[in-house]
């Protein structure tokens, strides 16, 4: 047989050689204990994140608890149309977007600035003390936070109104004035979450190569120039990822704190999609209608995060996927 004919024939695998599937199985078996550690988290996601998706169908049915999830009459898009035609639809969208955008514009830069300031502290004991103090509010429950806010803003004996009266002003009932609600909510949220949110940026700062700063100092760069040309560009990927995640929840404003803070007087600016869903579901028992609103909200968030991720990938070459 000629050499060319021998080369054209497929090479037979020796018994010692393994297929890619066999190699993958062997690799998984060798890492079995790592996969075992992954199992509890995987089970949690399956049980609490994916299994409840079966209940999405109640958004398209007239759900009756006695008939079960799939026992109600199929009504299709009726609940969605009812929500879109509701007189509260535009108000809910406006309030939800207003609070979310306000929180992002005012609150998103604060953890970054805080991380940069903490990173510049050279006394390690003072640095650790400051970190602990700014982290603590994150662990305070919403009930306690709202109680503190109510006490500070009380028109009778609140500290803020005492200061106003000291300078000759009249006390203001902040918690009953719609125009103050968004500011109170956003500022209190910044106080509660900024310290904890700075952790991820502090971690990113520690990964910056110190030799970059040494070279910049040799070239005569000031602190401000080092911040602009080294620190912020190094933080940009982390900032963009966190911003994408934040944008993905732009239509999701936590209802717990708002439920504790708002009242009928502040509904015009305080009522958001999540609180409206809560009232219609648990106070009025309209579970199908509430499920439809929740599904609509989730779909909008999904579209926003996909869109913003695509924009970020084109502009900064940083994205989630």
């Amino acid at each position: 047989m000629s050499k060319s004919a021998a080369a054209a024939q497929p090479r037979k695998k020796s018994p010692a050689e393994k297929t890619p599937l066999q190699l993958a199985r062997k690799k998984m078996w060798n890492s079995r204990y790592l996969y075992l550690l992954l199992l509890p988290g995987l089970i949690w996601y399956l049980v609490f994140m994916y299994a409840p998706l079966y209940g999405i169908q109640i958004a398209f049915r007239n759900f009756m608890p006695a008939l079960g999830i799939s026992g109600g009459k199929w009504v299709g898009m009726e609940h969605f149309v009812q929500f879109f035609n509701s007189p509260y639809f535009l108000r809910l969208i406006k309030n939800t977007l207003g609070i979310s955008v306000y929180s992002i514009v005012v609150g998103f830069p604060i953890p970054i600035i805080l991380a940069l300031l903490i990173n510049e502290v050279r006394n390690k004991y003072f640095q650790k003390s400051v970190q602990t103090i700014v982290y603590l509010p994150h662990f305070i429950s919403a009930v306690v936070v709202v109680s503190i806010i109510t006490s500070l803003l009380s028109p009778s004996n609140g500290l803020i109104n005492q200061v106003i009266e000291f300078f000759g002003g009249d006390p203001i009932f902040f918690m009953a004035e719609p125009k103050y609600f968004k500011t109170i909510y956003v500022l209190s949220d910044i106080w509660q979450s900024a310290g904890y949110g700075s952790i991820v940026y502090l971690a990113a700062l520690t990964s910056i190569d110190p030799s970059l700063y040494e070279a910049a100092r040799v070239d005569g760069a000031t602190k401000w120039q080092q911040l602009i040309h080294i620190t912020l560009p190094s933080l940009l990927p982390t900032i963009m990822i966190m911003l994408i995640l934040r944008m993905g929840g732009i239509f999701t404003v936590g209802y717990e704190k708002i439920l504790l803070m708002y009242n009928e007087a502040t509904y015009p600016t305080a009522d958001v999609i999540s609180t409206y869903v809560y009232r219609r579901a648990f106070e009025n028992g309209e579970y199908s209608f509430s499920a439809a609103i929740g599904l609509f909200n989730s779909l909008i968030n999904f579209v926003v995060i996909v869109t913003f991720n695509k924009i970020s990938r084109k502009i900064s070459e940083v994205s989630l996927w």
Side-chain angles (χ1 to χ4, degrees), residues 148-178:
I148 294 172
I149 294 170
T150 304
S151 298
L152 286 173
L153 300 179
S154 171
S156 57
N157 54 8
L159 177 62
I160 303 300
N161 274 304
Q162 287 182 6
V163 173
I164 292 173
E165 289 180 336
F166 177 79
F167 287 101
D170 296 324
I172 303 171
F173 196 176
F174 289 99
M175 301 300 286
E177 290 284 349

Side-chain angles (χ1 to χ4, degrees), residues 16 48 54 65 70 108 123 127 143 148 166 172 181-182 185 238 245 261 269-270 286 288 290 301 308:
F48 293 102
Y54 174 74
S70 58
F108 185 78
N123 188 311
Q127 185 186 62
V143 177
I148 294 172
F166 177 79
I172 303 171
F181 182 86
K182 289 179 182 177
Y185 178 88
T238 303
L245 293 173
M261 287 179 61
T269 57
E286 300 175 71
S288 292
S290 301
N301 282 329
F308 197 83

Side-chain angles (χ1 to χ4, degrees), residues 110-130:
I110 300 299
I112 303 171
I113 296 170
L114 186 60
L116 293 172
L117 293 174
I118 292 174
N119 189 61
E120 290 299 320
V121 177
R122 293 293 169 255
N123 188 311
K124 294 299 179 183
Y125 295 105
F126 181 69
Q127 185 186 62
K128 297 299 181 184
S129 300
V130 171

Side-chain angles (χ1 to χ4, degrees), residues 111 114 131 134-135 190-199:
L114 186 60
Q131 285 180 281
V134 297
Y135 294 167
I190 291 172
W191 171 78
Q192 190 174 9
S193 61
Y196 194 78
S198 67
I199 293 176

